[in-house]
Structures are given as structure tokens and as C-alpha cells.
Amino acid sequence: MRKTIAFILRQLGLKNVQFAEDGDEAWGIINTGRIDLVLLDWNMPRLSGLSLLERIRKSERHGQLPVIMVTAEAHADHVVTAAQAGVTDYVVKPFSPDTLAKKLHAVCDRCPSLVRLRAGIR
């Protein structure tokens, strides 16, 4: 799925994309680089997507970082839980490239910090 998302993001014009094998690795990347937006899955090893989202939201440095949950967890309880934890948007798998593009555009429109990213998305 990471390869599919990478392909879609590159087709949309985004070139600087980083991936993590699990939530712990993702947290390390977030803390060591300049990250503008996080796409994560609910079901990740070592640190779940929900736990990573909660960690991001509690962080003084990253608390406002836009986060899109991209997951197969479509049950209403999961969506509500993610919303309560502060997710910026939610995409249910399987999804089309157009769906992901629309979500990215919507998030960029709502988040002033993503003006530069928005300019790069086709």
C-alpha cells in the first residue's frame, strides 16, 4: 500500500515523500525532519496509527501537524475515535487516486501551513 500511495503522490506532483515501516519509525522521522503532512494507517506495527496520532497531538512541536488517516477501518466507531483524537481527515481503503487527491486538496485548503504543499499538488 505504501508503494501505491507513493505512486499516487508522485503523480500528483509531490516528490519529497518519506515512508516508515511502523509507528515508532514514523515518530522518529517526524522528529528529525521537516514534515508538512502525515498520512498514516490505523493498523501499524509497534505503534498504532491512533497512538501515533495521539502522540502527535500531544506534542508541543508537532501538535498542529495535519494528519490524514488512510485505513481499511471504515467502522463509524473508528472514524469517531480518530476525529476525537484530532485527525485532520480520513480516507477509507480501497480508494481511487482521485479520492486521495481530493482529500489532499481539502486538507491543504484548510491548513495555512500547507500553502507550499498545495502549490505542488496537481
Side-chain angles (χ1 to χ4, degrees):
M1 182 49 80
R2 286 189 305 263
K3 288 179 182 180
T4 300
I5 292 173
F7 177 78
I8 293 169
L9 294 175
R10 288 188 181 102
Q11 293 296 312
L12 292 172
L14 301 176
K15 304 298 180 205
N16 188 10
V17 178
Q18 296 182 51
F19 290 91
E21 293 290 323
D22 58 58
D24 280 337
E25 183 182 349
W27 181 241
I29 292 170
I30 290 167
N31 280 295
T32 59
R34 183 172 186 281
I35 304 299
D36 296 314
L37 172 70
V38 175
L39 281 75
L40 55 83
D41 195 330
W42 187 288
N43 299 304
M44 295 190 305
R46 295 179 51 194
L47 182 67
S48 73
L50 181 62
S51 295
L52 178 56
L53 171 62
E54 291 169 340
R55 190 176 285 183
I56 290 168
R57 291 296 174 247
K58 289 177 185 174
S59 167
E60 186 174 316
R61 181 174 170 206
H62 306 295
Q64 298 302 311
L65 187 64
V67 177
I68 300 175
M69 182 86 65
V70 180
T71 184
E73 300 297 336
H75 195 274
D77 290 346
H78 285 95
V79 177
V80 169
T81 299
Q84 290 172 339
V87 75
T88 310
D89 215 325
Y90 202 94
V91 179
V92 177
K93 295 184 226 173
F95 56 88
S96 68
D98 187 52
T99 298
L100 185 57
K102 286 178 182 176
K103 292 289 185 171
L104 287 168
H105 284 188
V107 168
C108 287
D109 289 345
R110 290 193 316 263
C111 300
S113 65
L114 297 179
V115 170
R116 197 178 92 244
L117 182 65
R118 174 72 160 107
I121 299 175
R122 293 186 191 116

